[in-house]
Amino acid sequence: WFVLLTPDAPGNSALDLDPNALKEATALSVNFWFVTPLVLPQLAPVIHPALEGLFETLITWSVLYFGFLSENRAQKQNMLGFLVGTAFLTNVFYIPYLAIRNAAPDLV
């Protein structure tokens, strides 16, 4: 939380967003998985293709974590909250989940 919310960390905090960055993030979210450009191309914002490709790759990577729902482990914490968090801040939620989840059952 120190890195995201305090002004003492290098760079801007999450509370001090540039309006252009927020506008760009909103445009990227509207073009999520290219649904809007395919269905309603007149409403889709125009974004640099490399930036959009990077955004789509990161979102797809976080969707892969839904495979953890198929584990047969009885967890102390509900995984669904961590999965929703990984869609926004991938490693901020993913790494703590790995630390607190139960150990794998013996496969032998």
Side-chain angles (χ1 to χ4, degrees), residues 10 21 25 33 43 45 57 73 88 101 103 105:
W33 282 342
L43 297 178
T57 302
R73 300 182 196 185
F88 299 103
R101 71 183 188 156

Side-chain angles (χ1 to χ4, degrees), residues 18-66:
D18 180 23
N20 291 332
L22 189 57
K23 182 180 175 184
E24 194 167 29
T26 303
L28 286 166
S29 298
V30 167
N31 283 352
F32 184 63
W33 282 342
F34 304 112
V35 172
T36 305
L38 292 173
V39 177
L40 299 168
Q42 67 277 12
L43 297 178
V46 178
I47 306 167
H48 192 281
L51 181 61
E52 194 161 6
L54 178 64
F55 178 78
E56 299 293 337
T57 302
L58 291 174
I59 294 299
T60 303
W61 185 260
S62 67
V63 168
L64 292 175
Y65 296 141
F66 277 86

